Amino acid sequence: MKQRLAVLGSTGSIGTSTLDVVARHPERFEVFALSAATQVDLLLEQCARFRPRLAAMASASHARLLAEKLAQNSLPTQVLQAPEALELIASHEQIDTVMAAIVGAAGLAPCLAAARAGKRLLLANKEALVVGGEVFLEAVRAGGATLLPIDSEHSAIFQSLPEDPSTWTQRVEKIILTASGGPFRTRAPATLRDVTPEQACAHPNWSMGRKISVDSATMMNKALEVIEARYLFGLDPAQLEVVIHPQSIIHSMVQYRDTSVVAQLGTPDMRVPIAYGLSWPERVESGAAALDFRTLSAMTFEDVAEHGHAQRFPGLRLAWEALAAPRGTTAVLNAANEEAVAAFLARRIRFDQIYAVNRATLEAVVPAQPDTLAALLALDAQARRAAGQVIARLGA
């Protein structure tokens, strides 16, 4: 039986990589539904190639345009309008697997819908855990969903952990997430105020969207990944560490009680964790190039507290602060960061002010233990308003 697959965010980097892997295995996978925000023409091309039954767009105008173009090309795909359409697709009874690749808090509701419907949920949207936290995990448990991480770091950890999750807390000493350090790993901290959006989006190793590229440049992506790892693997925050590994060959590591370290290595290609998530517990060809150990340069590692990194990446420590604060604080941090990055990309604030927005928003918004999706979304909106006020002051 083929897996029937929905790809939420199919026109982004994760979505297109997913479809690349799927196209290599037509005997295993059937694309049932796709979704996109605004890229009508690319989604049209994907519909022509994969013939999904459903497609969703973020707005009515984009949905109408896609429907018109599908009709002009005699393609039978039915068009739906998000956001309600995303939840409908994610929980559709004919779908087995959901690739959750929508960037930001907008992906939380469909992730919850997929979890409650008991789907095989491939999680590339880290905000589902950063924002959703225990609310999301409870939906996974209640629905009997299979949750598989797609972020390269969390996939690497998952591949390095014992097969039985009930043994993780007894056998594991700590998890070590690796970080490339982004484009500014060696840049003088005092010069970061002059960074442009173009420079921040020029990642040395990975090809990613603009938002996550900026997060990598500030290492806020790693702060969010620490939070995600806390919820995914159930370890204490003190058991989560970050080390800078510029070559991006080791994607993350697990240190056991006997000090043995198990790591997952590979080329910096997202098709590897995507292929693993799609085929788990099996493995299939991903299309990525294999490591050639004869030609690899030396692998190096740097402490995040040394070499000026604490000054370059002050946002990293916010992860542990948010995890120690009242429940919902991680959602506040995520909302603030999304607003700050958007303001930076729009040239409304400087690169070094992203951290200032995040810090000030955390100080201004104290959550009241949100325990429902509605409460989480209300907290998200409150945090965005607070972040907007900070951005307005800084911009002025």
Side-chain angles (χ1 to χ4, degrees):
M1 293 288 292
K2 292 184 180 181
Q3 280 190 56
R4 287 180 169 173
L5 179 68
V7 183
L8 306 183
S10 66
T11 58
S13 60
I14 297 295
T16 55
S17 293
T18 299
L19 293 177
D20 181 84
V21 174
V22 166
R24 297 170 189 275
H25 304 281
E27 76 288 353
R28 295 182 67 110
F29 306 109
E30 174 189 342
V31 177
F32 189 90
L34 300 172
S35 84
T38 60
Q39 296 193 62
V40 172
D41 289 336
L42 179 51
L43 186 54
L44 176 67
E45 291 176 17
Q46 293 174 343
C47 289
R49 183 177 184 186
F50 294 98
R51 302 287 175 132
R53 299 192 192 182
L54 301 174
M57 297 297 298
S59 72
S61 60
H62 288 100
R64 283 194 298 270
L65 181 57
L66 176 64
E68 291 171 3
K69 293 194 174 191
L70 287 168
Q72 291 167 5
N73 288 273
S74 300
L75 294 172
T77 302
Q78 178 186 354
V79 180
L80 307 174
Q81 181 189 338
E84 294 81 5
L86 298 179
E87 296 176 57
L88 186 153
I89 287 172
S91 59
H92 197 289
E93 61 180 8
Q94 294 189 57
I95 288 174
D96 307 304
T97 301
V98 176
M99 169 59 78
I102 296 174
V103 176
L108 176 57
C111 283
L112 280 167
R116 290 173 181 140
K119 303 300 183 184
R120 182 189 184 101
L121 180 54
L122 310 184
L123 193 64
N125 172 285
K126 60 173 57 69
E127 290 79 10
L129 282 162
V130 175
V131 178
E134 290 297 336
V135 174
F136 176 67
L137 291 180
E138 178 53 36
V140 171
R141 290 189 289 266
T146 300
L147 183 62
L148 298 169
I150 297 301
D151 271 354
S152 61
E153 295 83 359
H154 301 95
S155 176
I157 294 164
F158 183 63
Q159 294 179 57
S160 302
L161 284 166
E163 290 186 8
D164 184 359
S166 68
T167 68
W168 291 353
T169 56
Q170 290 79 33
R171 298 174 63 184
V172 173
E173 181 70 25
K174 63 182 177 181
I175 284 172
I176 306 166
L177 293 102
T178 57
S180 70
F184 307 133
R185 179 177 61 85
T186 60
R187 182 161 174 156
T191 69
L192 292 176
R193 61 178 290 126
D194 302 319
V195 165
T196 67
E198 292 74 22
Q199 292 170 330
C201 290
H203 196 282
N205 298 344
W206 297 90
S207 176
M208 305 179 293
R210 282 163 62 81
K211 194 270 181 183
I212 193 171
S213 294
V214 175
D215 282 346
S216 181
T218 62
M219 272 186 68
M220 272 303 300
N221 70 321
K222 210 55 52 178
L224 298 177
E225 286 168 13
V226 166
I227 296 168
E228 188 178 6
R230 164 68 181 93
Y231 288 117
L232 273 172
F233 306 116
L235 299 184
D236 188 270
Q239 293 175 280
L240 305 174
E241 292 187 6
V242 173
V243 64
I244 292 179
H245 170 49
Q247 294 80 23
S248 296
I249 295 169
I250 296 176
H251 297 301
S252 277
M253 300 171 271
V254 175
Q255 181 175 310
Y256 287 82
R257 299 289 185 186
D258 62 358
T259 72
S260 296
V261 176
V262 177
Q264 187 264 338
L265 287 70
T267 51
D269 190 322
M270 283 305 299
R271 289 177 296 179
V272 175
I274 289 169
Y276 185 68
L278 284 168
S279 63
W280 179 86
E282 302 175 37
R283 290 181 185 267
V284 297
E285 191 266 330
S286 67
L291 284 175
D292 185 347
F293 288 93
R294 298 167 300 177
T295 60
L296 285 180
S297 60
M299 292 190 290
T300 59
F301 304 89
E302 300 169 10
D303 191 320
V304 294
E306 298 178 356
H307 311 291
H309 294 323
Q311 290 73 44
R312 285 187 194 91
F313 310 120
L316 178 60
R317 60 180 176 266
L318 295 178
W320 288 270
E321 292 182 22
L323 285 169
R327 188 172 68 186
T329 301
T330 56
V332 174
L333 176 59
N334 177 76
N337 186 63
E338 285 190 20
E339 294 297 311
V341 171
F344 165 68
L345 289 172
R347 305 179 195 274
R348 296 173 56 205
I349 61 172
R350 300 192 312 264
F351 178 81
D352 63 327
Q353 291 176 324
I354 294 174
Y355 170 73
V357 173
N358 293 342
R359 166 63 70 188
T361 305
L362 285 175
E363 293 172 355
V365 180
V366 179
Q369 307 287 330
D371 57 2
T372 65
L373 174 59
L376 286 168
L377 294 178
L379 177 60
D380 178 81
Q382 180 187 2
R384 290 177 190 276
R385 289 192 297 271
Q389 293 170 359
V390 178
I391 290 166
R393 291 197 300 270
L394 292 174

